[in-house]
Amino acid sequence: LAQAISAHKRSQEPLRGRPVLAGMPPKKLPPPLRKTADKLALYAGCYAVAMAVLGAVGAATHSFEKKAMHSLYGGLGCFVLMSVCSAVIRFGVERKVVFAGVMSSLVFELIFLIVFLIQGFRSFRSPDKLGRAALFALNAAVTGVALGLGAAPVVPQLAPVLKRKAQGVMMQMWAKKNMKAKK
């Protein structure tokens, strides 16, 4: 009986201004968001595999010589990192854990994109490194697509939150300005 009362009270608690779905603990991911999270986990997993393959291709273009093995190691490191993010997104139960997995995967992809673009431009300037430039361009393209696919479902959900926060900051700044003007 105590558990039933506790569950009923939990179902009445508001979750950021919205009522909790009946029978759903407040911290758990509701089914529509779980479906989106599963898609994001799939995107992160596919990106992990693509980076591992591209890392192997980079090392294979130089016959797996010692000087080119950093490409394979980087691809495998990216594979491990994005696989962990994908697993956190897919198997996470609480909203905050899944959100952390999604945001960390997007931040890592953004960092990888910046690195690939910088390295690609550096390699493009040297005529003897045009093969590396092409591989970096391909890595940047794959990363850009993965970042776009991953950010598309997240941005509309974050926009209202960011808008409210921005409005609060603007109101605070306006209030401080008016207080100084009155003095």
Side-chain angles (χ1 to χ4, degrees), residues 10 17 28 44 60 71 74 83 97-98 109 114 118 134 160 162 168 173-174:
R10 277 196 315 262
K28 293 218 176 187
S71 178
S83 294
V97 172
V98 173
E109 288 173 5
I114 291 168
I118 290 170
L162 294 175
M173 289 173 49
W174 182 77

Side-chain angles (χ1 to χ4, degrees), residues 26-98:
K27 292 183 179 182
K28 293 218 176 187
L29 217 56
L33 289 180
R34 171 48 53 202
K35 187 176 178 183
T36 303
D38 289 346
K39 284 182 188 176
L40 293 173
L42 178 67
Y43 296 154
C46 290
Y47 176 69
V49 171
M51 287 293 102
V53 168
L54 288 172
V57 167
T61 57
H62 296 316
S63 304
F64 294 99
E65 294 176 9
K66 189 169 179 89
K67 68 177 185 174
M69 289 304 287
H70 67 279
S71 178
L72 178 63
Y73 301 147
L76 292 176
C78 182
F79 173 79
V80 169
L81 187 64
M82 294 309 293
S83 294
V84 168
C85 289
S86 179
V88 167
I89 297 168
R90 174 63 183 95
F91 299 112
V93 178
E94 292 186 9
R95 296 171 80 108
K96 289 182 180 179
V97 172
V98 173

